[in-house]
């Protein structure tokens, strides 16, 4: 098992005091006792973990801690990346800070000493916290490393999952780099591309040599763009992050292309950040879930104001609305783009169109993919609210689990839970999004606890019947020396 070392800061004494306070607060809330699940053992003698979590970034760590708070400790996180490189924050994310307000909570699951603010004040000081608008992404990675250290999940790094399959014992067998592990439940906590893959539209991939384009889901050495004319396809916040980074590393010019008629100014995430929306979106009727999500697709979110200024402070930055790409071709050594804004010539292009939702594209989901129901299988959009891309999202049960396209053919997929961006249509913010980690972690941990309790109910009743720990051990009269509690105030 690999464990990361959080980046040292000047506030080491304060961090030590905070960690002592974490331990005290967890003790006050009776964590994590008593243990209540009995490990399952397969016919071949192998013991299963109760919950195996694929992915050790913020979602995986949040869930492991939420489960621990419910005394479910027989868990395992498998993470493909090296320790310290989990998630996007120090790998491919090109923003300078998180986009979420600094006061966000979530991984802490309501424990005050575990909140990002508590950690930040201890690590960097009160003045640093007060001066912040958003948390720097590197500091967020440091916070997650510290959170892992103090919550102590069982976690393996550099241990990629390649298959999940059912066994005859009613368990799931997970194949990964270091071997195979049996599990009662499997949770996907694999982030933005957790239900598919980062891709490049065929209009680019079919026309441009691979060394001449990148996408926003992989680490990039932005110095490659020095002196170049760069085209960016896509108008999301990451498109602006990559455009700014290219300019900051010496790009001659960057042109960014939007299909929308105007750049969004209002961020719908800020409206969504109230308790009931996060907690109860999964309880909405399907039509309401659909309309909320389609509306977000229509308006999207703007780049943060500082990101806009990162781009527009360069004279070489241009943006073009109502300017989808109609054709791409090579003309000698130049990339020629025909767009709604006219013809442009570039040296390199950046695809900022985001990940696909295509379960079969992920090795660990290839076996499961044909059995999973999509929204298209379960729901017909009202007239005027159609969205073909959203129709491909998995149709999840209210516990984040996959549902069968043909009921009864593959019931085992109901023991695989989707805590990724692909859950957003069924579950709202509660997938991998920072804004939804708190509510999502609670809901999923409760659902896993409930399902395993119900599955083991016969055993619990037998244990209940056999329970014989006496509290009344002496049925005689008390000796004069035995204290008898008196009423308060008497």
């Amino acid at each position: 098992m690999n464990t990361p070392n959080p980046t040292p800061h000047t506030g080491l004494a304060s961090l030590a005091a905070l960690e002592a306070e974490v331990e005290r607060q967890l003790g006050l809330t009776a964590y994590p006792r008593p243990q209540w699940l009995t490990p399952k053992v397969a016919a071949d003698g192998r013991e299963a973990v109760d919950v195996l979590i694929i992915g050790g970034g913020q979602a995986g760590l949040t869930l492991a801690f939420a489960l621990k708070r419910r005394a479910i400790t027989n868990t395992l996180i498998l993470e493909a990346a090296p320790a310290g490189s989990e998630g996007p924050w120090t790998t491919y994310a090109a923003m300078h800070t998180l986009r979420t307000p600094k006061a966000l909570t979530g991984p802490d699951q309501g424990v005050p000493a575990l909140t990002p603010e508590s950690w930040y004040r201890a690590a960097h000081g009160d003045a640093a916290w007060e001066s912040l608008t958003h948390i720097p992404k590197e500091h967020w990675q440091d916070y997650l490393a510290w959170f892992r250290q103090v919550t102590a999940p069982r976690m393996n790094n550099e241990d990629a999952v390649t298959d999940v399959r059912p066994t005859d014992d009613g368990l799931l067998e997970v194949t990964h780099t270091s071997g195979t592990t049996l599990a009662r439940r499997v949770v996907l906590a694999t982030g933005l591309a957790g239900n598919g893959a980062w891709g490049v539209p065929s209009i680019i991939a079919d026309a441009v040599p691979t060394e001449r384009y990148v996408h926003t889901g992989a680490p990039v050495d932005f110095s490659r763009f020095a002196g170049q004319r760069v085209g960016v396809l896509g108008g999301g916040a990451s498109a602006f992050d990559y455009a700014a980074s290219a300019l900051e590393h010496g790009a001659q010019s960057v042109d960014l292309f939007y299909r929308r008629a105007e750049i969004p100014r209002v961020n719908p995430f800020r409206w969504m950040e109230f308790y009931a929306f996060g907690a109860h979106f999964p309880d909405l009727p399907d039509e309401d879930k659909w309309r909320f999500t389609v509306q977000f697709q229509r308006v999207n979110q703007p780049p943060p104001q500082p990101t806009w200024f990162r781009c527009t402070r360069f004279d070489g930055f241009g943006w073009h609305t109502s300017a989808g790409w109609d054709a791409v071709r090579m003309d000698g050594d130049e990339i020629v783009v025909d767009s709604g804004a006219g013809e442009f010539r570039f040296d390199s292009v950046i695809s900022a169109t985001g990940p696909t939702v295509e379960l079969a594209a992920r090795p660990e989901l290839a076996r499961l993919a044909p059995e999973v129901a999509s929204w298209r299988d379960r729901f017909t959009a009202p007239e005027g609210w159609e969205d073909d891309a959203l129709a491909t999202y998995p149709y999840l049960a209210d516990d984040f689990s996959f549902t069968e396209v043909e009921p009864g053919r593959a019931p085992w997929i109901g023991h695989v839970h989707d805590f990724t961006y692909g859950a957003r249509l069924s579950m709202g913010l509660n997938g991998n999004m920072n804004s939804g980690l708190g509510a999502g972690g609670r809901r999923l941990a409760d659902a896993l606890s409930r399902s395993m309790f119900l599955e083991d109910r016969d055993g619990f009743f037998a244990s209940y019947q056999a329970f014989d720990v006496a509290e009344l051990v002496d049925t005689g009269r008390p000796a004069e020396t035995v204290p008898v509690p008196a009423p308060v105030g008497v």
Side-chain angles (χ1 to χ4, degrees):
M1 182 174 72
N2 312 107
T3 55
N5 294 313
T7 303
H9 299 296
T10 57
L12 290 179
S14 295
L15 280 174
L18 179 62
E19 288 160 13
E21 179 61 14
V22 169
E23 186 174 358
R24 187 185 79 87
Q25 290 180 6
L26 294 178
L28 286 173
T29 51
Y31 153 95
R33 56 190 185 270
Q35 305 288 318
W36 56 274
L37 282 168
T38 301
K40 296 293 183 184
V41 179
D44 61 7
R46 289 185 294 165
E47 186 174 300
V49 298
D50 292 321
V51 182
L52 187 147
I53 302 168
I54 304 174
Q58 60 188 28
L61 292 174
T62 297
L63 178 62
F65 178 61
L67 290 168
K68 212 168 190 179
R69 295 284 288 166
R70 290 152 179 79
I72 300 173
T73 58
N74 181 23
T75 64
L76 173 64
I77 302 176
L78 298 177
E79 166 59 48
S85 296
E86 305 90 348
W89 310 112
T90 57
T91 53
Y92 64 82
M95 74 275 269
H96 288 169
T97 69
L98 303 191
R99 302 183 188 114
T100 319
K102 68 177 183 180
L104 83 158
T105 59
D108 52 272
Q109 293 293 291
V111 178
L114 282 172
T115 59
E117 179 176 348
S118 291
W119 172 82
Y120 206 95
R121 287 182 182 277
H124 297 281
D126 292 338
W129 174 259
E130 297 299 339
S131 68
L132 276 185
T133 301
H134 297 93
I135 297 173
K137 63 187 177 73
E138 293 82 5
H139 290 173
W140 183 251
Q141 185 77 25
D142 288 344
Y143 164 71
L144 294 174
W146 175 81
F147 182 86
R148 173 180 174 179
Q149 173 191 307
V150 296
T151 59
R154 180 184 167 204
M155 175 169 162
N156 295 346
N157 284 89
E158 300 180 68
D159 207 350
V161 174
T162 55
D163 187 32
V164 179
R165 70 175 188 87
T167 71
D168 294 337
D169 303 291
L171 300 169
L172 299 170
E173 184 173 69
V174 179
T175 303
H176 49 99
T177 304
S178 65
T180 59
T181 300
L182 295 178
R184 296 183 66 177
R185 303 289 188 272
V186 168
V187 176
L188 310 177
T190 40
L192 276 171
N195 280 180
W198 291 95
V200 175
S202 59
I203 195 174
I204 297 173
D206 293 347
V208 179
T210 56
E211 68 272 13
R212 303 287 292 278
Y213 63 80
V214 299
H215 61 72
T216 53
V220 173
D221 178 0
F222 286 98
S223 65
R224 65 180 283 163
F225 299 120
Q228 294 189 355
R229 301 162 297 171
V230 180
V232 181
L233 177 61
S238 293
F240 283 87
D241 293 329
Y242 272 61
S245 296
L247 289 162
E248 290 161 353
H249 286 78
Q252 176 185 322
S253 63
V254 174
D255 286 272
L256 186 148
F257 296 81
Y258 261 87
R259 287 176 298 178
R260 291 182 175 85
E262 59 183 33
I263 293 173
R265 293 174 178 268
V266 175
N267 190 339
F269 277 120
R270 300 295 83 84
W271 180 90
M272 296 178 192
E273 290 167 347
F274 62 96
Y275 176 82
F277 189 83
H280 305 307
F281 181 96
D283 305 314
L284 289 171
D286 285 351
E287 184 169 342
D288 291 338
K289 293 181 182 180
W290 183 266
R291 288 189 295 125
F292 268 111
T293 311
V294 170
Q295 179 66 13
F296 180 85
Q297 294 291 92
R298 290 176 175 176
V299 301
N300 208 327
Q301 61 175 321
Q305 188 68 66
T307 304
W308 178 263
F309 289 147
R310 277 182 71 193
C311 294
T312 56
R313 68 190 178 95
F314 290 92
D315 292 337
F317 178 67
W319 64 96
H320 311 278
T321 54
S322 300
W325 287 9
D326 302 317
V328 178
R329 68 185 188 280
M330 297 299 298
D331 181 11
D333 199 41
E334 292 185 312
I335 303 166
V336 182
V337 172
D338 294 323
S339 76
E343 180 183 287
F344 291 80
R345 291 175 177 262
F346 300 115
D347 302 301
S348 294
V349 296
I350 297 172
S351 172
T353 54
T356 63
V357 174
E358 183 184 5
L359 298 181
R362 297 191 65 90
E364 71 271 24
L365 303 182
R367 187 188 302 271
L368 171 147
E371 308 296 345
V372 172
S374 69
W375 271 76
R376 178 175 285 121
D377 297 317
R378 295 286 186 269
F379 180 78
T380 300
E383 184 177 353
W385 290 91
E386 298 85 358
D387 189 306
D388 290 340
L390 286 178
T392 67
Y393 276 61
Y395 185 91
L396 304 180
D398 62 5
D399 62 353
F400 290 84
S401 65
F402 290 111
T403 60
E404 298 171 272
V405 66
E406 183 179 316
R409 190 171 74 186
W412 63 277
I413 70 171
H415 288 171
V416 182
H417 303 257
D418 190 17
F419 198 38
T420 76
Y421 188 72
R424 70 189 183 108
L425 178 50
S426 295
M427 310 304 291
L429 295 173
N430 294 333
N432 75 310
M433 301 181 208
N434 284 14
S435 303
L437 284 175
R442 287 188 290 274
R443 187 180 190 97
L444 180 50
D446 281 341
L448 292 165
S449 174
R450 177 182 183 275
S451 67
M452 289 187 287
F453 174 76
L454 294 177
E455 191 173 279
D456 293 355
R457 61 188 180 275
D458 290 342
F460 285 122
F461 186 70
S463 173
Y464 171 55
Q465 286 185 304
F467 184 71
D468 63 354
V469 177
E471 288 191 2
L472 180 63
V473 294
D474 186 345
T475 55
R477 298 183 181 277
E480 291 184 5
T481 56
V482 175
V484 177
V488 173
V490 176

